[in-house]
Amino acid sequence: MLIAGFPAGAWGTNCYVVAPAAGEECVIIDPGHLAAQGVEDTLAKHRLKPVAVILSHGHIDHVASVVPVCGARGIPAWIHPEDRFMLSDPEKALGRAFGAQLLGELTVGEPDDLRELTDGAGLPLAGLEFSVAHAPGHTRGSVTFRLPETAGIPSVLFSGDLLFAGSVGRTDLPGGSTAELHESLARVCLPLDDSTVVLSGHGPQTTIGRERATNPYLGEAARGHGAGDPAPRRGL
């Protein structure tokens, strides 16, 4: 399996391109602010043909390039229905106005082909089977995508802004909920094997085992109660 990731834009949001191997079809995860060129470079480097974009949630730092990326390749995008409105109204999603300079850099709106994700669904794309888990807390429509263990390669969790290395997503923006975030951590993350690789929306990769042992928020979720409101972290 090939997973190529890079941080993009003002918030350093991780965009991932996932394929069975070089030269094959691929899926793009979270093409955020100023990610379009990085996507094109990654596709060219590995000779990949994208078939879809999938979005972990609707915050602008994860979706700002979805329209140009989908439009350039004529491919669909997938998002949870609870976060769909954020594509057309990012200011409402964040509860604050952007500066004029930043707004001038953004392409706001929905791609021509936008589809909705369902909790528990299997999403077969590019010869891969992504498992979708609704994981509210950071936003109402946050989801994770998981690829199963195959041929000795550990399972991979694309956690969006649910779980980071050493931390979790913020809950102080509209639609955020600390209680729901802790419930999502317990339901989505804790049952996974320690070897599961976690590729999050911001920061370095980690594993479920490392976070189970060291992340205070995941530890508190395991004990059935929260570790307080997460402080604002990387990204939105």
Side-chain angles (χ1 to χ4, degrees):
M1 184 164 56
L2 186 157
I3 301 176
F6 60 91
W11 298 281
T13 304
N14 291 327
C15 176
Y16 300 101
V17 179
V18 188
E24 299 194 22
E25 292 183 338
C26 70
V27 176
I28 301 163
I29 302 177
D30 288 356
H33 184 231
L34 301 180
Q37 188 59 56
V39 168
E40 289 301 317
D41 292 345
T42 301
L43 298 179
K45 177 180 179 180
H46 299 288
R47 298 172 286 107
L48 299 171
K49 178 184 177 182
V51 297
V53 169
I54 56 177
L55 302 169
S56 67
H57 62 288
H59 281 160
I60 197 67
D61 60 326
H62 289 253
V63 306
S65 295
V66 67
V67 169
V69 167
C70 288
R73 301 283 179 162
I75 58 176
W78 300 76
I79 193 169
H80 192 276
E82 290 273 12
D83 277 11
R84 183 169 182 164
F85 77 95
M86 298 185 187
L87 294 173
S88 300
D89 195 353
E91 290 186 14
K92 182 178 179 181
L94 298 174
R96 62 185 182 187
F98 286 97
Q101 181 178 1
L102 179 57
L103 276 173
E105 298 174 356
L106 300 180
T107 304
V108 175
E110 295 187 357
D112 291 339
D113 187 352
L114 184 64
R115 308 176 188 185
E116 295 185 347
L117 296 164
T118 303
D119 181 39
L123 200 61
L125 296 168
L128 301 167
E129 183 76 21
F130 294 86
S131 298
V132 180
H134 186 209
H138 180 61
T139 67
R140 291 191 179 98
S142 288
V143 301
T144 66
F145 304 106
R146 187 170 64 86
L147 291 171
E149 179 181 356
T150 55
I153 300 172
S155 176
V156 178
L157 178 73
F158 298 93
S159 64
D161 285 6
L162 171 63
L163 179 66
F164 301 143
S167 190
V168 293
R170 63 194 295 170
T171 59
D172 60 328
L173 296 173
S177 166
T178 301
E180 287 189 337
L181 186 89
H182 292 142
E183 190 278 332
S184 292
L185 289 170
R187 176 175 48 83
V188 175
C189 297
L190 287 175
L192 299 178
D193 191 85
D194 282 353
S195 65
T196 302
V197 175
V198 179
L199 299 177
S200 63
H202 302 272
Q205 79 174 49
T206 184
T207 65
I208 288 294
R210 183 178 302 142
E211 298 312 300
R212 201 190 309 274
T214 64
N215 189 317
Y217 299 100
L218 199 59
E220 290 299 309
R223 289 186 284 274
H225 52 89
D229 291 338
R233 304 293 179 180
R234 299 172 292 256
L236 298 175

